[in-house]
Amino acid sequence: MKVDLAVKNAKLVSPRGVIEAGVAVKDGVVVAVARDIHLPSADRVIDAKGNYVLPGVLDGHCHIFLPPETPATGMRAAAKGGVTTMLEMPGTKMGCFNHSQYMEKLRIMKEAAYVDFCVHAGCASGYPEGTLTEMWGAGATGAKFFISSAGPNWPQTFDGEVIERFKELSRCGGLALIHAENDSILRDNEKRLRDAGRKDFSTHLECRPRVAEVEAGRRMIEYLKLTGCCGVIVHTGVPETVWCSAQARTGGAETYVETCPQYLYLTEDDVKERGPWLKFAPPPRTKADVAEIRRLLNLGWVDTVATDHAPYGRDSKEAGLEDMWMAPNGIPGLETYLPLLLNGVNQGWLSLERLAAAASETPARVYGIYPRKGTLQPGSDADMVIVDMKEKRTIRDEEQVTACGWTPYNGLRVKGWPKISIIRGSVAMEDDQVLAEKGSGRFIPRLS
């Protein structure tokens, strides 16, 4: 048998270890994983040059409908960063609260896709029972819940309605994705700080203290246990939520915790210094929290890593330099996602095996697209990323292709870089150049 592509001279990484082997691909699917000498002949051979090869990298939490970003620029940024499957999260600019909105979002993304993608649904108040079930049936990979207010474009769900929607998801086998911050604490703190005339950078930290995140995370995990609903506490920066989820799972609950690179690198001291450029929610915490989240990630207690990519433009962020309240919550992250994790491997706080678990296999399992995605095995989509663990680079604003044109990690020196990404057997990125064509990415519906 002759195949379309063979990747040779590689070290294949999985959560279970690293093996020296190659991959054979035909019609976009892995057909063999074997020693190079045993691989079939191929129309094209890629020499990995002894580098590590990761299973296709997933970003389970992106917002690409936030101006100036567009679906096309966002998914092109994903391709440049080595992401092979991007999971789009609902946002305030384009919700996804019923079946028609879901299908419209899907249509727009199909036309713009540089990488493969999934679409999460959104849960907003006022939509009838069965709405989430219908979107789940259309292939949605999760349903996003805001426990604090997301603003006027996202009708807020309070606890009673949250519990009812958790029950609905439990009945249909769905998955809840939960932004967990205590709304009453946030509202009271904001009123107090505004009444005092506070506009400084620290208002963001004082408005959204760790207790708001800890309490809401614990409460949502209790609701998941009560209803039998499977759920992910997203963008987690406090160890208490990780411990609470682990305890719930020992009792049979199906709860997961997602963190983001910003909680692995940034602290509240950085927010005090850089203000709106590091305004995101929940905010980062202490150096001790960063160290503990890193440790828990490497132990496997933190399940997945995603970006929460929210690429607001410079003008909207600069509005917060004089008045922190005026800057929106969110930072870009698609292009720096994998380099920051590779740098963590070189720094010694993350193993390659855990990286493959948290950025590939586990999110694919949690979001119901495994084994099509998240692994290199016969029958799976031929998605992989060749990484050079020795390459040193400086992250720079001017090299970003995301439409916002900046990164919170500008000037950071990292070691480890994605060199080639392959999506269904086709090279999507090589040496920072996006080779995938617009519209080449495919919608990946939930499989289970």
Side-chain angles (χ1 to χ4, degrees), residues 21 39 53 94 151 158 177 211 255 282-283 291 353 364 427-428 430 434:
L39 291 175
V53 177
M94 185 174 186
F158 293 97
L177 311 171
V211 66
T255 59
E353 292 87 347
V427 176
E430 184 170 5
V434 177

Side-chain angles (χ1 to χ4, degrees), residues 61-66 70-72 75 86-113 117-123 135 138 140-142 144 154 309 443:
H61 190 155
C62 301
H63 301 275
I64 58 171
F65 284 79
L66 292 175
T70 67
M75 283 195 272
M86 194 205 75
L87 290 85
E88 164 65 10
M89 190 74 79
T92 56
K93 299 298 181 183
M94 185 174 186
C96 199
F97 304 137
N98 61 29
H99 184 263
S100 63
Q101 293 174 9
Y102 181 88
M103 297 307 294
E104 174 64 10
K105 195 170 197 179
L106 181 56
R107 180 192 66 78
I108 294 171
M109 293 184 68
K110 282 181 177 179
E111 295 174 355
F117 68 95
C118 307
V119 178
H120 296 313
C123 182
M135 288 187 282
T141 38
K144 175 68 176 292
W154 192 310
H309 177 75
F443 169 58

Side-chain angles (χ1 to χ4, degrees), residues 61-370:
H61 190 155
C62 301
H63 301 275
I64 58 171
F65 284 79
L66 292 175
E69 196 81 287
T70 67
T73 60
M75 283 195 272
R76 190 164 182 269
K80 180 175 177 288
V83 173
T84 57
T85 303
M86 194 205 75
L87 290 85
E88 164 65 10
M89 190 74 79
T92 56
K93 299 298 181 183
M94 185 174 186
C96 199
F97 304 137
N98 61 29
H99 184 263
S100 63
Q101 293 174 9
Y102 181 88
M103 297 307 294
E104 174 64 10
K105 195 170 197 179
L106 181 56
R107 180 192 66 78
I108 294 171
M109 293 184 68
K110 282 181 177 179
E111 295 174 355
Y114 286 87
V115 298
D116 286 358
F117 68 95
C118 307
V119 178
H120 296 313
C123 182
S125 182
Y127 290 86
E129 182 178 350
T131 301
L132 297 182
T133 303
E134 190 174 14
M135 288 187 282
W136 188 252
T141 38
K144 175 68 176 292
F145 288 73
F146 261 99
I147 305 309
S148 56
S149 173
N153 293 327
W154 192 310
Q156 186 174 0
T157 49
F158 293 97
D159 285 29
E161 195 168 7
V162 168
I163 290 172
E164 290 305 307
R165 297 290 73 79
F166 281 5
K167 289 178 180 178
E168 178 184 345
L169 289 174
S170 180
R171 288 192 293 269
C172 72
L175 175 71
L177 311 171
I178 307 159
H179 178 132
E181 289 183 285
N182 183 297
D183 189 63
S184 295
I185 293 175
L186 269 55
R187 288 178 185 270
D188 289 348
N189 284 344
E190 180 174 350
K191 182 179 185 305
R192 174 177 54 81
L193 291 163
R194 284 184 179 274
D195 287 349
R198 292 277 301 279
K199 300 179 181 179
D200 57 279
F201 296 168
S202 291
T203 57
H204 182 57
L205 303 169
E206 294 178 41
C207 178
R208 311 181 92 104
R210 69 180 302 126
V211 66
E213 188 178 355
V214 171
E215 188 282 329
R218 182 181 295 113
R219 179 161 43 96
M220 290 303 111
I221 289 169
E222 286 298 318
Y223 293 169
L224 292 171
K225 289 166 56 179
L226 172 70
T227 59
C229 181
C230 177
V232 182
I233 308 298
V234 300
H235 47 48
T236 299
V238 290
E240 291 93 330
T241 299
V242 185
W243 303 332
C244 186
S245 175
Q247 185 178 36
R249 284 162 69 167
T250 63
E254 193 172 357
T255 59
Y256 301 93
V257 175
E258 167 201 282
T259 195
C260 306
Q262 49 267 41
Y263 304 110
L264 300 169
Y265 278 88
L266 304 174
T267 71
E268 57 190 18
D269 291 335
D270 296 314
V271 177
K272 293 174 184 177
E273 179 181 346
R274 298 171 58 191
W277 303 108
L278 299 185
K279 185 181 178 184
F280 51 87
R285 306 299 175 186
T286 67
K287 290 181 180 179
D289 290 320
V290 168
E292 182 65 359
I293 291 292
R294 286 178 172 184
R295 188 183 75 88
L296 293 171
L297 172 63
N298 201 42
L299 287 174
W301 288 34
V302 173
D303 301 287
T304 69
V305 183
T307 64
D308 194 12
H309 177 75
Y312 289 99
R314 292 177 184 271
D315 54 347
S316 62
K317 282 294 191 178
E318 287 173 350
L321 293 173
E322 298 298 326
D323 183 351
M324 189 67 164
W325 300 108
M326 297 299 294
N329 278 310
I331 57 173
L334 275 167
E335 292 164 75
T336 54
Y337 171 50
L338 185 52
L340 291 172
L341 294 179
L342 296 173
N343 187 61
V345 174
N346 277 313
Q347 289 182 332
W349 50 264
L350 182 65
S351 71
L352 272 171
E353 292 87 347
R354 278 298 303 145
L355 193 162
S360 298
E361 185 170 310
T362 301
R365 288 182 182 275
V366 170
Y367 295 122
I369 57 174
Y370 180 90

